[in-house]
Short mmCIF file of all heavy atoms in Angstrom, two decimals:
data_model
loop_
_atom_site.label_atom_id
_atom_site.label_comp_id
_atom_site.label_asym_id
_atom_site.label_seq_id
_atom_site.Cartn_x
_atom_site.Cartn_y
_atom_site.Cartn_z
N LEU A 208 95.49 83.94 83.76
CA LEU A 208 96.26 83.53 84.93
C LEU A 208 97.69 83.99 84.67
O LEU A 208 98.28 83.67 83.68
CB LEU A 208 96.24 82.01 85.10
CG LEU A 208 96.63 81.47 86.49
CD1 LEU A 208 95.70 81.99 87.51
CD2 LEU A 208 96.64 79.96 86.46
N LEU A 209 98.25 84.71 85.65
CA LEU A 209 99.63 85.18 85.55
C LEU A 209 100.55 84.37 86.37
O LEU A 209 100.44 84.30 87.56
CB LEU A 209 99.68 86.69 85.98
CG LEU A 209 101.03 87.49 85.73
CD1 LEU A 209 100.69 88.96 85.89
CD2 LEU A 209 102.12 87.07 86.57
N ALA A 210 101.43 83.65 85.74
CA ALA A 210 102.42 82.72 86.34
C ALA A 210 103.77 82.93 85.81
O ALA A 210 104.57 81.96 85.78
CB ALA A 210 101.97 81.28 86.27
N LYS A 211 104.09 84.09 85.36
CA LYS A 211 105.32 84.36 84.72
C LYS A 211 106.52 84.13 85.67
O LYS A 211 106.40 84.41 86.89
CB LYS A 211 105.32 85.81 84.13
CG LYS A 211 106.48 86.19 83.26
CD LYS A 211 106.25 87.59 82.69
CE LYS A 211 107.39 87.92 81.68
NZ LYS A 211 107.11 89.24 81.04
N LYS A 212 107.64 83.77 85.09
CA LYS A 212 108.77 83.53 85.99
C LYS A 212 109.54 84.77 86.27
O LYS A 212 110.64 85.02 85.79
CB LYS A 212 109.68 82.52 85.28
CG LYS A 212 110.72 81.90 86.22
CD LYS A 212 111.60 80.84 85.47
CE LYS A 212 112.57 80.21 86.45
NZ LYS A 212 113.41 79.20 85.85
N ASP A 213 108.86 85.64 87.05
CA ASP A 213 109.54 86.82 87.50
C ASP A 213 108.73 87.29 88.72
O ASP A 213 107.87 86.58 89.20
CB ASP A 213 109.63 87.98 86.44
CG ASP A 213 108.24 88.53 85.97
OD1 ASP A 213 107.23 88.25 86.65
OD2 ASP A 213 108.18 89.22 84.98
N GLU A 214 109.05 88.41 89.32
CA GLU A 214 108.46 88.80 90.57
C GLU A 214 106.95 89.00 90.47
O GLU A 214 106.23 88.76 91.47
CB GLU A 214 109.03 90.11 91.07
CG GLU A 214 108.55 90.59 92.39
CD GLU A 214 108.89 89.67 93.52
OE1 GLU A 214 109.94 88.89 93.45
OE2 GLU A 214 108.11 89.59 94.53
N THR A 215 106.37 89.30 89.33
CA THR A 215 104.91 89.28 89.15
C THR A 215 104.27 88.01 89.48
O THR A 215 103.11 87.96 90.00
CB THR A 215 104.53 89.93 87.79
OG1 THR A 215 104.99 89.01 86.75
CG2 THR A 215 105.08 91.21 87.56
N GLY A 216 104.96 86.88 89.05
CA GLY A 216 104.37 85.58 89.32
C GLY A 216 104.30 85.32 90.84
O GLY A 216 103.27 84.84 91.27
N THR A 217 105.30 85.66 91.56
CA THR A 217 105.32 85.46 92.96
C THR A 217 104.19 86.40 93.61
O THR A 217 103.42 85.93 94.52
CB THR A 217 106.63 85.81 93.57
OG1 THR A 217 107.71 85.09 93.00
CG2 THR A 217 106.74 85.59 95.18
N PHE A 218 104.11 87.59 93.17
CA PHE A 218 103.15 88.52 93.59
C PHE A 218 101.71 88.12 93.50
O PHE A 218 100.95 88.26 94.40
CB PHE A 218 103.35 89.86 92.81
CG PHE A 218 102.55 91.05 93.28
CD1 PHE A 218 102.72 91.61 94.44
CD2 PHE A 218 101.53 91.53 92.40
CE1 PHE A 218 101.85 92.69 94.88
CE2 PHE A 218 100.73 92.59 92.81
CZ PHE A 218 100.94 93.17 94.10
N LEU A 219 101.44 87.47 92.41
CA LEU A 219 100.09 86.89 92.15
C LEU A 219 99.80 85.56 92.78
O LEU A 219 98.68 85.24 93.12
CB LEU A 219 99.84 86.82 90.62
CG LEU A 219 99.18 87.99 89.92
CD1 LEU A 219 97.78 88.23 90.33
CD2 LEU A 219 100.01 89.21 90.17
N PHE A 220 100.81 84.81 92.98
CA PHE A 220 100.64 83.39 93.56
C PHE A 220 100.53 83.33 95.06
O PHE A 220 99.69 82.63 95.61
CB PHE A 220 101.71 82.46 93.07
CG PHE A 220 101.64 81.05 93.58
CD1 PHE A 220 100.58 80.30 93.31
CD2 PHE A 220 102.63 80.66 94.50
CE1 PHE A 220 100.43 78.93 93.85
CE2 PHE A 220 102.48 79.34 95.07
CZ PHE A 220 101.45 78.52 94.72
N LEU A 221 101.39 84.07 95.80
CA LEU A 221 101.51 83.99 97.20
C LEU A 221 100.16 84.20 97.93
O LEU A 221 99.91 83.59 98.95
CB LEU A 221 102.53 85.00 97.76
CG LEU A 221 104.01 84.50 97.85
CD1 LEU A 221 104.90 85.46 98.53
CD2 LEU A 221 104.08 83.18 98.67
N PRO A 222 99.31 85.11 97.44
CA PRO A 222 97.96 85.25 98.12
C PRO A 222 97.24 83.93 98.26
O PRO A 222 96.54 83.76 99.28
CB PRO A 222 97.28 86.32 97.30
CG PRO A 222 98.38 87.15 96.67
CD PRO A 222 99.50 86.19 96.41
N TRP A 223 97.30 83.19 97.21
CA TRP A 223 96.61 81.92 97.25
C TRP A 223 97.12 80.93 98.35
O TRP A 223 96.34 80.17 98.85
CB TRP A 223 96.62 81.22 95.84
CG TRP A 223 95.98 82.08 94.87
CD1 TRP A 223 96.51 83.19 94.27
CD2 TRP A 223 94.60 81.98 94.30
NE1 TRP A 223 95.52 83.79 93.37
CE2 TRP A 223 94.44 83.02 93.35
CE3 TRP A 223 93.57 81.06 94.47
CZ2 TRP A 223 93.21 83.23 92.68
CZ3 TRP A 223 92.39 81.18 93.78
CH2 TRP A 223 92.25 82.25 92.93
N VAL A 224 98.38 80.98 98.52
CA VAL A 224 99.04 80.19 99.61
C VAL A 224 98.49 80.70 100.95
O VAL A 224 98.01 79.94 101.78
CB VAL A 224 100.53 80.38 99.59
CG1 VAL A 224 101.11 79.68 100.86
CG2 VAL A 224 101.17 79.66 98.34
N LEU A 225 98.47 82.08 101.11
CA LEU A 225 97.97 82.62 102.32
C LEU A 225 96.52 82.43 102.57
O LEU A 225 96.02 82.17 103.71
CB LEU A 225 98.28 84.08 102.36
CG LEU A 225 99.70 84.53 102.21
CD1 LEU A 225 99.85 86.06 102.04
CD2 LEU A 225 100.55 84.07 103.39
N GLN A 226 95.76 82.43 101.50
CA GLN A 226 94.32 82.22 101.55
C GLN A 226 93.90 80.86 102.11
O GLN A 226 92.82 80.69 102.66
CB GLN A 226 93.63 82.42 100.14
CG GLN A 226 93.67 83.79 99.68
CD GLN A 226 93.25 83.85 98.15
OE1 GLN A 226 92.81 82.83 97.56
NE2 GLN A 226 93.42 85.00 97.55
N ASN A 227 94.80 79.87 101.93
CA ASN A 227 94.53 78.57 102.36
C ASN A 227 95.13 78.15 103.64
O ASN A 227 95.20 76.98 104.06
CB ASN A 227 94.84 77.49 101.19
CG ASN A 227 94.11 76.20 101.38
OD1 ASN A 227 92.98 76.23 101.70
ND2 ASN A 227 94.84 75.09 101.09
N GLY A 228 95.78 79.19 104.30
CA GLY A 228 96.40 78.94 105.54
C GLY A 228 97.77 78.58 105.47
O GLY A 228 98.49 78.25 106.54
N GLY A 229 98.50 78.60 104.33
CA GLY A 229 99.89 78.41 104.15
C GLY A 229 100.70 79.65 104.46
O GLY A 229 100.09 80.76 104.58
N THR A 230 101.99 79.49 104.54
CA THR A 230 102.86 80.61 104.82
C THR A 230 104.18 80.53 104.08
O THR A 230 104.41 79.37 103.48
CB THR A 230 103.23 80.78 106.31
OG1 THR A 230 104.12 79.66 106.65
CG2 THR A 230 102.05 80.85 107.20
#
Side-chain angles (χ1 to χ4, degrees):
L208 197 63
L209 191 164
K211 191 173 184 178
K212 194 176 181 180
D213 63 19
E214 185 61 28
T215 61
T217 306
F218 183 68
L219 268 291
F220 176 68
L221 270 185
W223 297 77
V224 172
L225 301 173
Q226 288 167 10
N227 202 38
T230 68

